[in-house]
Amino acid sequence: MTTTTRIPTIISYQMSLSLASFYKYLNGSLFFLSLIATLLPLASPYSNVTLSSLGGNLEVMVYLPHAVKPSEATYYMASRFDHGSMIGSITSKNEKTGAKHLLFGSKNWRQPHNSGWPESGIGLASEFGVGDDGPLCQYRCGWDGVNDVTNGVLGYEDAKNGEPFLKIGVGALIKGSCPSCDSTDNYRFNSPYEFAELPQWKVFTSSSSIVSMEHEARVRNYGYRLHKDIVLDGNVLAVTSVLTNLGDTAFSTAWYSHNFFTCDGIPVRDGYSLDMDIQGDKGKLYEEPGVIGSWAVPLRTFANIREFKDHVTVDVARPLNGDTRIKAEFVKDDASKGAFTLHGCTTSLRSELPDVINNRIPMYAYNLYLEKGTFSPEPQILLHLQPGQSTSWTQRLVIENEDEGIKGLPLLGKSVARTDDGSENVWKLIAAAVIMVGAVLSLHVRQRVSARDNDNGRRREDYSTVPDVA
Ligand SMILES: *[C@@H]1O[C@H](CO)[C@@H](O)[C@H](O)[C@H]1NC(C)=O
């Protein structure tokens, strides 16, 4: 009898021992599982559609906004860029050579990707506003010094903290909810705001040549509707936006596409070049307030600039460093229509704003922003809407293959032409492993740091870094 009672005791004791260690182990692996779960979106798919033309030689991948396909993850859910503007990547195959090149893409910009981070746009990500703090522009307000241009926000000033305001293209946000929001009540364009309600988008048409979507948001007596048509026809991609003022007050806002350009995943370096429709040879070409503010370095440190009568070329001369930030604000040029051509990876990308060309919509300013991860020409336009009024405008892109050696530049892409030999996957695995180890280490460091100096654990990225005032 005693043995029969003892054995179970021992077993249960041992069981509880091993359960304890199993529990410990489980805890550890749960930690890893949750870590993997948070990192998974890195590699996991985001809701998207692909447009295709030229017999499949040209493909344009568009990330869909929130709730279009409710079961899928959304690429961008943050408070800065228009959620309908995430035209993620363009893949162009040269029919003659068979070489494939990737324009835009996410490899170089704010990785690992965080859907909730305001800066984490991609491709043609566009913003309503001037890309600066403040609900209204009050200083250096565009080429014409126009006052009362909103930074893409409606109903900000008459909202109390905790009450909603609108950011056009984003939806209803809560005033005061951002990490860098402080007692000045200032609008922080680049700090994550909480949503008052999640934005709703509807896709009307989706085929291999067009995706058409719409969203509207209202707060008090403010409101807007935003409709987007993204159309691929041959080698021309046209992104048309229609904005309607649903409120009872007129407003003006700037709008620009950030053009998060790199190609084949290559960080910005020699071989990238840009042609801007800005008149050269006229004295002062641009200003660099960021250099004075000392977060930026002069453009000429990294690029050769050539001025012609009707255009200006910017040839990147050497690789940008990891912490290099460059922002040039071009001085007013009445002749500029905000067009440009980007060259890289034996591909060119011509961007035009037809509504500016035919004088229907005025320019607001023209900036150029560079980091290692992006070569961003940013023509900005000025929209003005009376109550009930709609306005539409198009960004038109022409994608072309270029011959090697054009302009005598060491063109990017020769040695890195994408081949699907699977080696990429190995690198992806290695990268994922490195990122995981890095994440574990940084978690430890973070815990230790916050334990040590009680800095309430704010991460560097929680601070609004002026830099991407692009
Ligand atoms: C795009 O969506 C498809 C599913 O429709 C998915 O397989 C793919 O991984 C997605 N692409 C990206 C880059 O998220």
Side-chain angles (χ1 to χ4, degrees), residues 43-50 61 63 69 72:
S44 78
Y46 292 102
S47 195
N48 68 86
V49 291
T50 298
M61 201 264 286
Y63 284 117
K69 296 184 181 172
E72 298 183 351

Side-chain angles (χ1 to χ4, degrees), residues 21-62:
S21 59
F22 178 69
Y23 183 70
K24 248 184 172 170
Y25 164 76
L26 192 69
N27 244 342
S29 49
L30 276 181
F31 169 75
F32 272 101
L33 281 179
S34 62
L35 190 70
I36 289 167
T38 51
L39 289 170
L40 214 54
L42 239 190
S44 78
Y46 292 102
S47 195
N48 68 86
V49 291
T50 298
L51 309 181
S52 162
S53 68
L54 304 176
N57 284 335
L58 196 61
E59 288 191 335
V60 174
M61 201 264 286
V62 180

